Amino acid sequence: MPKPIRVLLADDHPIVMTGFAMSLAAEGMDVVGQAKTPQEAVEQYVALQPDVVVLDIRFGAEMTGLDAAKHILEKQPHAQIVFLSQFDQDALIKETYRLGAKAFVTKDCDPADLAVAVQRASQGELYFMPQIAERLANLSVRGDASPQTLLDERSLEIFKLMAEGLTNVEIAEKLDLSQKTISNISQAVKEKLGIHRPALITKLAMKHGLIEP
């Protein structure tokens, strides 16, 4: 008999996590841990060494599931990660695969889809739900004009703070940079993205999953 797939679940909604844990257990998988925060996910991954980790993206905290995935992959580059989220913006989906995830599964999916994603991930294989595959294909055809693609890491960080409503002075203080540097970068960001009004900046960041709706 093959050993059951050992799975770590990470989600801040206990009901959701319990439901998926029961579904995976019904498929013969062993849910070895359930983390409620990204920090717990990283700690439990190190302690438990599961075959697959299923990470929610949004935790209502400063650290996200994407951040947790980065920490996990730094410690173990061959970690098998499946993302689970109610958010399905194109750029967000693409970012999960760029990070090295094996699958992106929406929370309203059939539990069987999650089970298949976990099974494929445990074998080191990618899994695309049909609707996710279609969206990624369309994104590839029409091109990606998301902030994540157009901006470098520093500019993207400043863009997110702009979208949250911080002024240049507040951003400069937060990042310990000069106001002139922030002013120059924020202006360059606006020109590169082709938007200048604060409301549109916020709307664009929400559309691409960079800030909470």
Side-chain angles (χ1 to χ4, degrees):
M1 290 286 292
K3 291 183 178 180
I5 300 169
R6 301 174 69 254
V7 185
L8 169 63
L9 292 176
D11 192 300
D12 61 349
H13 295 90
I15 294 177
V16 172
M17 190 156 56
T18 299
F20 279 117
M22 292 174 63
S23 298
L24 293 177
E27 295 290 334
M29 299 180 190
D30 184 9
V31 178
V32 296
Q34 298 184 37
K36 295 179 181 178
T37 69
Q39 292 89 343
E40 282 184 14
V42 175
E43 293 168 2
Q44 289 193 32
Y45 184 88
V46 173
L48 300 171
Q49 292 293 299
D51 300 313
V52 178
V53 55
V54 178
L55 277 172
D56 189 10
I57 291 180
R58 301 295 185 195
F59 281 85
E62 188 169 333
M63 187 177 181
T64 68
L66 294 172
D67 297 321
K70 291 175 185 176
H71 285 296
I72 289 171
L73 289 167
E74 284 174 3
K75 299 175 184 296
Q76 191 164 332
H78 299 296
Q80 311 297 358
I81 297 174
V82 172
F83 278 106
L84 175 70
S85 183
Q86 62 185 1
F87 299 94
D88 60 353
Q89 294 97 334
D90 292 345
L92 193 59
I93 295 170
K94 186 173 181 180
E95 177 67 8
T96 61
Y97 283 102
R98 188 193 67 78
L99 275 177
K102 297 302 181 184
F104 182 104
V105 180
T106 56
K107 286 188 177 180
D108 60 355
C109 73
D110 187 309
D113 286 319
L114 179 60
V116 172
V118 169
Q119 186 175 28
R120 294 278 186 85
S122 72
Q123 298 167 354
E125 300 174 0
L126 292 173
Y127 173 69
F128 298 91
M129 294 173 64
Q131 61 269 42
I132 299 297
E134 182 178 356
R135 293 179 70 158
L136 287 172
N138 289 336
L139 189 62
S140 177
V141 169
R142 70 172 184 261
D144 185 358
S146 68
Q148 292 97 317
T149 299
L150 296 175
L151 304 176
D152 59 35
E153 187 173 349
R154 173 64 80 184
S155 296
L156 185 62
E157 182 180 22
I158 291 171
F159 170 73
K160 287 191 285 188
L161 294 174
M162 292 164 61
E164 290 172 357
L166 274 68
T167 65
N168 284 348
V169 173
E170 291 169 332
I171 295 173
E173 291 177 354
K174 185 177 182 68
L175 300 182
D176 196 23
L177 294 171
S178 72
Q179 292 182 34
K180 183 177 181 180
T181 296
I182 297 301
S183 179
N184 290 339
I185 294 176
S186 64
Q187 185 60 36
V189 165
K190 292 174 183 177
E191 291 176 0
K192 185 163 287 188
L193 297 177
I195 53 174
H196 293 82
R197 292 171 54 192
L200 294 179
I201 290 173
T202 299
K203 186 176 180 180
L204 182 65
M206 290 171 57
K207 176 183 177 183
H208 290 283
L210 292 168
I211 62 173
E212 291 283 357

